Amino acid sequence: MSDGEFAFTRDIGAAFAGSFGDGALPWLVLLGGGAMVGFGTRMAGGCTSGHGLSGVGRLQPASLLATAIFFGTAVVVSFALARFS
Amino acid sequence: MAAVPSRRAKDLMMRAGLGLTLGYALSRIGFSRYDEVRKMFLLEDLRMFLTFAGGVTLAALGFFALRGVSSLPPRSMHAGIVPGALLFGAGWALCGACPGIAFVQIGEGQLTAFVTLAGMFAGNWIYGAAHARYFRWDAQGCGE
């Protein structure tokens, strides 16, 4: 749980710093990762809310597939990041 | 004369209220925190998965309850689903945010989220250009 408080910060967290360190890389990861999200969600026609909540909530097969794939991929990539940092 | 909100104003207020509620809930649960999201994806802490499952269940109940009254268009399979979901999942694990979350992060004061959001807008724009030139399916999307 987070405290729900507002605070200006540039600290993303220990896991992010552990994976990407300092310098230019963390910024590139935010930009590049964000671009993958922007590209991929539009390509798939939905995101965690569109496919995950709305689509799965309505038991749409396309959304079940999409949600399984993006969650599964995120898990695999996260394990890889944790392994190599 | 008493001021009665127009239909449009009421609609906007309702959307704003729902948005605020969702944003606050996401922030409190921890979906806007990179460390929490990483823990979820590493299956170290199932709290967030269970919370998501709870949200889906509630959404499903709501859709079921409203099935005769209101409905959303069905989603069909198309060629962009698999590659799109792969890219999205990978990007989410890297930058820690899905589209809505970037806005929640900004709302919390995470200045880095502006960079993430810029990336998302760029990716979205690039997709639009690529789709117009190369892709022949209807990607659908939310409310299109």
Side-chain angles (χ1 to χ4, degrees), chain A residues 50 54-55 58 60, chain B residues 63 70-75 143:
Chain A
S54 176
R58 292 182 288 143
Q60 302 286 305
Chain B
F63 281 120
S70 161
S71 65
L72 291 168
R75 291 175 166 272

Side-chain angles (χ1 to χ4, degrees), chain A residues 4 7 17 19-20 22 24-27 31 37 40 42 47 52 55-56 59 64-65 70 75-76 78:
Chain A
S19 290
F20 307 116
D22 295 315
L25 183 61
W27 301 107
L31 273 175
V37 171
R42 191 162 171 189
C47 63
V56 174
L59 300 175
L64 290 160
L65 176 66
F70 64 67
V75 168
V76 169
S78 295

Side-chain angles (χ1 to χ4, degrees), chain B residues 72-91:
Chain B
L72 291 168
R75 291 175 166 272
S76 49
M77 289 280 190
H78 57 79
I81 287 187
V82 174
L86 281 167
L87 272 172
F88 168 37

Side-chain angles (χ1 to χ4, degrees), chain A residues 36-57:
Chain A
M36 289 166 77
V37 171
F39 192 96
T41 53
R42 191 162 171 189
M43 191 178 201
C47 63
T48 324
S49 295
H51 276 305
L53 282 174
S54 176
V56 174

Side-chain angles (χ1 to χ4, degrees), chain A residues 1-2 6-9 14-16 19 31 34-36 40 42-43 45 48 50-51 57-58 60 63 70-71 73-75 78-79, chain B residues 27-28 34-35 38 41-42 49 60 72-75 78 80 84-86 89-90 98 107-109 111 119-120 123-124 127 139 141:
Chain A
M1 293 278 271
S2 78
F6 179 91
F8 282 119
T9 178
F16 189 82
S19 290
L31 273 175
M36 289 166 77
R42 191 162 171 189
M43 191 178 201
T48 324
H51 276 305
R58 292 182 288 143
Q60 302 286 305
S63 294
F70 64 67
F71 261 115
T73 307
V75 168
S78 295
F79 270 99
Chain B
S27 174
R28 280 288 274 152
Y34 193 93
D35 287 351
R38 176 70 72 87
F41 289 142
L42 289 178
F49 265 128
L72 291 168
R75 291 175 166 272
H78 57 79
L86 281 167
C98 62
E108 283 178 352
L111 298 170
M120 290 179 181
N124 184 63
Y127 181 79

Side-chain angles (χ1 to χ4, degrees), chain B residues 59-70:
Chain B
L61 288 171
F63 281 120
F64 182 75
L66 288 171
R67 67 197 180 286
V69 177
S70 161

Side-chain angles (χ1 to χ4, degrees), chain B residues 1-106:
Chain B
M1 184 176 101
V4 179
S6 68
R7 196 141 179 232
R8 177 157 171 75
K10 278 191 255 189
D11 182 70
L12 286 172
M13 283 192 288
M14 185 188 68
R15 287 169 187 272
L18 288 170
L20 269 168
T21 309
L22 176 62
Y24 183 72
L26 288 170
S27 174
R28 280 288 274 152
I29 293 165
F31 277 108
S32 50
R33 294 222 161 163
Y34 193 93
D35 287 351
E36 295 293 318
V37 173
R38 176 70 72 87
K39 271 196 264 182
M40 171 176 73
F41 289 142
L42 289 178
L43 310 176
E44 280 173 10
D45 184 359
L46 294 181
R47 176 183 68 89
M48 306 250 286
F49 265 128
L50 290 174
T51 309
F52 184 79
V56 174
T57 307
L58 272 173
L61 288 171
F63 281 120
F64 182 75
L66 288 171
R67 67 197 180 286
V69 177
S70 161
S71 65
L72 291 168
R75 291 175 166 272
S76 49
M77 289 280 190
H78 57 79
I81 287 187
V82 174
L86 281 167
L87 272 172
F88 168 37
W92 189 6
L94 284 167
C95 75
C98 62
I101 292 297
F103 291 102
V104 177
Q105 289 174 333
I106 290 174

